[in-house]
Amino acid sequence: VVGSPFSIQNYIPDPRITTAEGLMELHDQLRRREMGLILDFVPNHTGFDHPWIAEHPERYILGSEEDFRNDPAAFYLVEREDDENLFIARGRDPYFAPWDDVAQLNYFNPDCRKGMTEILKNIAQYCDGVRCDMAMLVTNEIFGRTWGSFLKSWPMPTTEFWVQATGEMRDFVWLAEVYWDLEWKMQQLGFKFTYDKRLYDRLREGPSGEVRAHLSADLGYQRKLARFLENHDEPRAAATFSHEKITSVATLISTLPGMRFYHHGQLSGAKTFVPMPLGRARSEKVDQQIRDLYERCLGLADQEVFHAGEWQLLEV
């Protein structure tokens, strides 16, 4: 176990992997091959070893010693020799217990927003877009509902953070991890693509009528959906869908309008779910039948009609 990839120390290349110049060179090589690069961005929180903990503690949700004593699992104590101790809230979403390894940023603080926007501008030097982790958590309504009792001295901003950020980088590919049926809202805030978790759930559990109803939605909305059969949070598709069913769902995902989103190991039929903090995992044998299926699907989806043609749901 090497730690959480969502507990961010800083948005710079890890020197054990490459340098800033090396990452730029990688990006240039990808572009020469007509490929793009999307990097991960975690807006809601940082690690407790992030420089802002010492340099800009006001950018975080701060509690009192009483808050800490009442709920020690929800706060992190930062002991300071020359000043009062800090009690920084641990990051969370409103439906689960706090994540114990991350510090909650305060999106009602304009200085926090400014700092995160500068980070995004810096990231943009190295890539073509960002996949924004749990992007809905920093919307005004959800953030205010989650942290309301700690925001008494911070009025709700008149604009959304994502409107500000996407407005400054309009040519960027903005991909939102989003749930709770907020896909349309996040698209209106500037995201070019949003996770389509509802389709995944319906393919996995729902009757075919629900899938058909989902695919009857407005085409402008569907073109901005990121379709997937697995990701870092979901179990492996090869272990979830039977061999008989995976042929149909893989073909569907590969040819629908929108972004087609494949996970590492999916194309080779991996069945073991690997937690992201795990540094090393036993390799699996390639399932050649699934590999051949995806080769056919990707070859099919590469045809011009799936990029420049008009998609229409077939009525039967």
Side-chain angles (χ1 to χ4, degrees):
V1 175
V2 296
S4 169
F6 303 110
S7 181
I8 305 299
Q9 183 185 46
N10 209 343
Y11 283 97
I12 57 175
D14 189 317
R16 293 171 294 181
I17 299 174
T18 189
T19 61
E21 292 74 20
L23 185 54
M24 284 186 173
E25 174 60 24
L26 169 66
H27 188 209
D28 289 341
Q29 289 192 33
L30 287 171
R31 283 186 164 178
R32 288 196 289 270
R33 291 163 172 79
E34 298 184 341
M35 298 174 68
L37 176 63
I38 293 179
L39 296 178
D40 213 53
F41 176 66
V42 183
N44 187 65
H45 44 260
T46 74
F48 287 104
D49 53 356
H50 193 284
W52 286 1
I53 295 289
E55 298 169 5
H56 299 285
E58 70 284 351
R59 293 179 178 178
Y60 295 90
I61 293 288
L62 300 175
S64 64
E65 184 173 353
E66 182 181 1
D67 294 323
F68 176 71
R69 293 186 183 280
N70 289 337
D71 191 359
F75 293 89
Y76 182 85
L77 169 62
V78 178
E79 297 183 281
R80 301 196 295 182
E81 294 181 0
D82 302 329
D83 206 343
E84 294 183 2
N85 292 336
L86 295 176
F87 302 94
I88 299 180
R90 300 180 191 270
R92 61 173 301 177
D93 83 25
Y95 298 108
F96 292 94
W99 298 302
D100 61 8
D101 60 346
V102 293
Q104 178 64 54
L105 291 164
N106 181 1
Y107 271 83
F108 280 16
N109 181 347
D111 187 56
C112 173
R113 290 185 170 209
K114 179 182 177 181
M116 294 303 278
T117 302
E118 291 303 314
I119 287 175
L120 281 162
K121 288 180 178 179
N122 182 60
I123 292 173
Q125 301 177 78
Y126 308 106
C127 62
D128 303 288
V130 282
R131 172 254 181 211
C132 298
D133 179 74
M134 298 292 282
M136 67 284 184
L137 292 183
V138 303
T139 59
N140 289 345
E141 190 274 328
I142 292 177
F143 190 83
R145 175 156 45 90
T146 306
W147 297 103
S149 60
F150 297 93
L151 299 172
K152 294 176 182 177
S153 60
W154 301 99
M156 180 180 289
T158 56
T159 59
E160 294 279 359
F161 169 73
W162 292 122
V163 171
Q164 295 174 301
T166 60
E168 296 203 25
M169 290 173 279
R170 297 186 183 277
D171 296 330
F172 217 41
V173 178
W174 295 90
L175 168 62
E177 180 191 24
V178 55
Y179 306 110
W180 313 332
D181 293 323
L182 292 171
E183 296 85 358
W184 172 254
K185 176 181 176 65
M186 301 308 289
Q187 290 178 15
Q188 301 313 296
L189 296 184
F191 280 93
K192 294 187 177 180
F193 298 100
T194 57
Y195 274 38
D196 192 1
K197 177 67 159 54
R198 185 63 65 191
L199 177 60
Y200 169 79
D201 289 340
R202 286 169 170 163
L203 288 174
R204 182 179 174 185
E205 303 166 0
S208 58
E210 291 186 1
V211 175
R212 170 172 291 277
H214 188 89
L215 298 181
S216 299
D218 178 75
L219 197 53
Y221 167 69
Q222 292 202 59
R223 288 195 183 104
K224 293 185 176 183
L225 293 175
R227 324 284 195 161
F228 59 87
L229 293 179
E230 62 176 74
N231 61 39
H232 70 280
D233 282 327
E234 307 296 345
R236 291 293 198 177
T240 301
F241 300 99
S242 66
H243 260 279
E244 293 78 13
K245 189 171 183 178
I246 200 167
T247 301
S248 61
V249 295
T251 305
L252 182 73
I253 290 293
S254 301
T255 55
L256 285 174
M259 175 183 282
R260 298 90 187 245
F261 193 24
Y262 302 94
H263 188 216
H264 179 253
Q266 179 179 342
L267 304 185
S268 60
K271 294 184 177 180
T272 303
F273 178 80
V274 180
M276 292 192 71
L278 199 62
R280 181 181 302 170
R282 182 179 298 166
S283 60
E284 294 184 64
K285 291 183 179 180
V286 173
D287 185 323
Q288 196 58 48
Q289 186 176 353
I290 290 181
R291 180 74 184 185
D292 292 343
L293 166 65
Y294 280 112
E295 289 286 352
R296 295 198 303 275
C297 287
L298 292 173
L300 180 68
D302 195 42
Q303 296 180 30
E304 185 65 17
V305 66
F306 290 104
H307 299 269
E310 288 295 321
W311 185 89
Q312 185 177 352
L313 183 64
L314 177 65
E315 296 294 339
V316 296

